[in-house]
Amino acid sequence: MNDKLTGSFYTPPKLIEYMKDYAKQRVRPRNILEPSAGDGRFIPFFSTFNCPITAIELYEEKAVALSNLYANQCNVVCSDFLKYSLDTDVNYDLIIGNPPYISKKSLPESQRELSLAVLKYFELNETLFQNIWVSFILAALKVLAPNGSIFFILPFEF
């Protein structure tokens, strides 16, 4: 898979360790969501919270590999996170990860439509959607529990 086309820019372990330590000082989640699991590098760090973890992964081969590797640590769901957020009634206390960075013009039509559906859910103008990471933030807000926390790695332009 082409990492640039899939928005795959993997997070260094030291940064994940920092995120875990920072989150542990501030939240006591009952459940955790990693909406763009990729290679699963966040899972071992956040399994120390001793609560259920749901890892969403778009690509089936990655989801299968994650399930094989982390079956005892989390529930892996093979789905587009934007679709998952629109379909689920589950809310999460901690949503953490590194969303994909893909410009609107590079996305397949199905993901553009899902991004627009997420904006529509919040009654926001379509012009806000220029990159999929914006849709990931909004989708995360949709599934965030009251008093929950989102901890994403975001581009400087945010």
Side-chain angles (χ1 to χ4, degrees):
M1 273 183 253
N2 181 321
D3 286 346
K4 186 168 177 116
L5 290 178
T6 63
S8 301
F9 297 97
Y10 293 104
T11 310
K14 285 189 180 202
L15 181 53
I16 299 170
E17 180 78 29
Y18 168 79
M19 294 171 78
K20 177 197 67 149
D21 292 344
Y22 187 91
K24 274 211 168 206
Q25 293 173 18
R26 289 162 179 77
V27 295
R28 299 285 176 255
R30 292 167 296 185
N31 59 5
I32 298 173
L33 173 67
E34 211 294 36
S36 51
D39 65 359
R41 61 183 58 205
F42 280 79
I43 296 166
F45 289 91
F46 289 90
S47 61
T48 63
F49 278 84
N50 295 317
C51 67
I53 299 171
T54 300
I56 309 293
E57 177 48 47
L58 175 62
Y59 299 104
E60 185 176 358
E61 61 273 16
K62 287 184 179 182
V64 168
L66 290 172
S67 291
N68 291 336
L69 194 58
Y70 297 114
N72 295 330
Q73 293 173 289
C74 71
N75 175 39
V76 177
V77 177
C78 184
S79 178
D80 185 306
F81 172 59
L82 302 179
K83 180 170 178 13
Y84 178 86
S85 73
L86 292 166
D87 293 343
T88 190
D89 292 328
V90 178
N91 290 322
Y92 296 90
D93 292 325
L94 178 59
I95 303 172
I96 194 156
N98 188 354
Y101 309 102
I102 309 170
S103 73
K104 172 182 169 178
K105 63 184 174 215
S106 297
L107 288 171
E109 185 61 30
S110 61
Q111 284 190 311
R112 275 183 267 172
E113 289 174 8
L114 285 168
S115 289
L116 293 175
V118 170
L119 264 68
K120 185 177 180 180
Y121 174 85
F122 285 101
E123 300 178 5
L124 296 171
N125 192 301
E126 291 181 10
T127 59
L128 286 174
F129 168 51
Q130 298 302 315
N131 195 296
I132 198 165
W133 66 262
V134 173
S135 305
F136 262 68
I137 292 172
L138 293 171
L141 286 170
K142 182 187 177 302
V143 298
L144 187 66
N147 300 312
S149 297
I150 297 173
F151 199 167
F152 278 159
I153 297 169
L154 297 172
F156 185 74
E157 67 188 270
F158 179 72

